[in-house]
């Protein structure tokens, strides 16, 4: 079995994030996770980018018209309020991508760490 390779979209986003510092990518369910210092701050699912949010970032993304990550399970929509789609400007403006990514990293840094058992 061959190992899944990131799409051109994921590779592009990963390359654009180089100015943040070392960003790792890894498989995340059916998509990809973006991590800084082992902290996940964004995901790409079906070539759409979503940021990990806290309340201020959620409010800012909502004001940009962004929606939460949603998927269907058993024919019913499941809304994941922890991740909101990136503004469309992020996809063709590196500075916008870095700005929103930095906010998502800060939101993740403020999130309580889970204790692994």
């Amino acid at each position: 079995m061959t190992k899944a390779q990131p799409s051109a979209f994921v590779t592009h986003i990963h390359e654009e994030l180089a100015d943040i510092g070392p960003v790792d990518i890894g498989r995340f369910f059916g998509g990809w996770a973006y991590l800084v210092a082992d902290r996940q701050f964004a995901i790409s699912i079906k070539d759409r980018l979503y940021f990990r949010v806290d309340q201020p970032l959620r409010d800012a993304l909502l004001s940009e018209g962004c929606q939460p990550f949603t998927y269907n399970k058993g024919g019913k929509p499941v809304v994941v309020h922890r991740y909101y789609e990136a503004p469309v400007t992020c996809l063709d403006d590196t500075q916008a991508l870095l700005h929103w990514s930095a906010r998502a990293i800060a939101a993740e840094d403020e999130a309580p760490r889970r204790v692994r058992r």
Side-chain angles (χ1 to χ4, degrees):
M1 180 181 251
T2 59
K3 189 175 179 180
Q5 296 297 309
S7 67
F9 175 84
V10 171
T11 300
H12 169 73
I13 297 297
H14 186 227
E15 289 170 354
E16 293 292 301
L17 291 171
D19 285 346
I20 288 177
V23 175
D24 296 317
I25 58 171
R27 294 295 291 158
F28 180 77
F29 296 102
W32 295 87
Y34 301 86
L35 303 100
V36 170
D38 293 326
R39 300 288 307 254
Q40 184 173 308
F41 70 94
I43 58 174
S44 287
I45 306 285
K46 295 183 181 179
D47 287 346
R48 294 175 80 173
L49 180 64
Y50 298 87
F51 291 122
R52 170 87 153 91
V53 298
D54 57 7
Q55 190 61 51
L57 182 53
R58 177 182 293 118
D59 293 344
L61 290 171
L62 280 169
S63 74
E64 294 285 325
C66 302
Q67 298 297 311
F69 173 62
T70 304
Y71 66 94
N72 287 312
K73 182 176 182 180
K76 296 181 181 178
V78 176
V79 180
V80 181
H81 291 283
R82 179 175 277 176
Y83 290 93
Y84 272 68
E85 190 165 13
V88 293
T89 57
C90 289
L91 305 180
D92 56 8
D93 181 343
T94 302
Q95 292 308 309
L97 176 63
L98 295 174
H99 165 79
W100 291 105
S101 295
R103 290 192 66 180
I105 291 167
E108 175 56 23
D109 285 345
E110 294 299 316
R113 291 197 183 244
R114 293 186 184 147
V115 176
R116 294 184 186 207
R117 296 175 191 208

